[in-house]
Amino acid sequence: MMKQILSKLPRKPSSKSAENRDGGISTFPSNASTSSPFGNGDGLPLDVNNEVNGTDSLYEALPSFRDVPNSDKQNLFIKKLNLCCVLFDFTEPMKDLKEKDIKRQTLVELVDYVTSADGKFTETVVQETVKMVSLNLFRSRGPQPHENKLLEALILEEDEPLMDPTWPHVQIVYELLLRFVASPETDPKLAKRYIDHAFVIKILDLFDSDDPREREYLKTVLHRMYGKFMVHRPFIRKSINHIFYRSIFETEKHNGIAELLEILGSIINGFALPLKEEHKLFLVRALIPLHKPKSIQMYHQQLSYCITQFLEKDCKLADTVIRGLLKYWPITNSSKEVMFLGELEEVLEATQPQEFQRFMVPLFRQMSLCLSSSHFQVAERSLFLWNNHHVENLIRQNRKVILPIIFPSLEKNARGHWNHAVKSFTLNVRKIFSDIDAELFEGCLQKFEEDQAREEETKLKRETTWKRLEEIAALNATSNELVLVS
């Protein structure tokens, strides 16, 4: 009888049922302790602590740092870190509003504490900080759009990037990580045990995020890490190389290439002279092949900057760069060709005369094709090279080699290009050559006229041959005899 009465009394909910009731909170071990966000710091489970405080909530704000003595602030900092290890579901905006606001406010307090810290962070603080940051940043994602080749083209044409719904919390976590890494109170020798190679790899994986706000934070964070942890520098460069290789030879797209190149731009700027062989190989094997993917427009500006940084360090690399550009020169993509021409001008501007002579023949064979392009933007951008004083001087000094190569294209443009602007620019370039070396110009013009006459003669012979074939075929239309023309 007593058992029946007791069975009808309301029971206290278990921790498991409480977790299920707050579905937006991530699952934690049932043996909650001081290191768990569900612990109260004095060894009591949170449900016992709630019973003492007279509240039913499983997620309550902790005291402010202003309300505790200095001796307890570090312990409170760790408790707040544990509180922020709880993850919420942001796909439902109206769910767990109070708890989300508590976490956001707690994250802001953590950022303020790290910014104003006046004592070295202990190993426990470093460990718990990296743990909380990892739980919030290294979150599961859906499949990246570029894993599907059919969707890739559609994604490239979208104007609006995909925004992460968890950003209200993630942004503050990034800010905390940034302040923590940059803080003078963070000992690099101690922190490198937890901000290790595995952590660096996960940070680099996040660069493929669709959210540009996240990539911008990642760029700053990785740059600070590169500066703080000298021991990780070779590994970071090597890992970035692997991302580039995969983008070039496998996926052909990665959302974070531009941001990674921005970081590398400042890294290259700090390379000591003479350049190490490792750095030259990076130029040849990673940077130059990045001209190959179709998505180059997403990062071309940053790529061009990195290339010119190498040339400023060692002008002898100009031949390697130019021949690399010619190797990946676009054939049917006119907008990409215009980009290449813009980069070419920057490279030539950093090129010395003795280096220019090593590649000018293959370069201006390609330029001849660009000058005679039926796409007016390609032809126009090619002619703009003569507006650059340094490039024009290089061409002037080597005109005896260059003019015979490009003269046919110039003359054809001047005589019959459909675009008025291209025709006008071509006449200006012709005048430059005519003024500086009239004898060479007349020799090229004479050779052009002779070549044109031979072409006309060849064309006339070909037409005559076809006409004879047609006449003979008409006469023998009724027979089965083969028609041979000597």
Side-chain angles (χ1 to χ4, degrees), residues 188-200:
K189 293 182 180 178
L190 177 63
K192 72 180 182 181
R193 302 177 192 170
Y194 303 97
I195 301 179
D196 54 7
H197 286 183
F199 187 89
V200 170

Side-chain angles (χ1 to χ4, degrees), residues 67-127:
D67 300 333
V68 297
N70 289 335
S71 58
D72 292 341
K73 284 185 177 180
Q74 208 161 86
N75 288 333
L76 180 60
F77 180 73
I78 293 173
K79 291 178 184 178
K80 286 181 180 287
L81 286 171
N82 290 329
L83 189 73
C84 293
C85 287
V86 179
L87 306 180
F88 295 99
D89 183 8
F90 280 83
T91 58
E92 298 184 26
M94 303 308 296
K95 187 176 182 181
D96 301 321
L97 289 178
K98 177 187 173 185
E99 289 79 3
K100 289 175 182 176
D101 189 60
I102 290 172
K103 180 177 177 181
R104 188 194 64 79
Q105 186 59 41
T106 304
L107 286 168
V108 172
E109 291 176 4
L110 292 173
V111 172
D112 292 339
Y113 179 84
V114 170
T115 305
S116 59
D118 57 357
K120 291 291 182 183
F121 295 128
T122 65
E123 184 171 1
T124 305
V125 169
V126 174
Q127 183 179 10

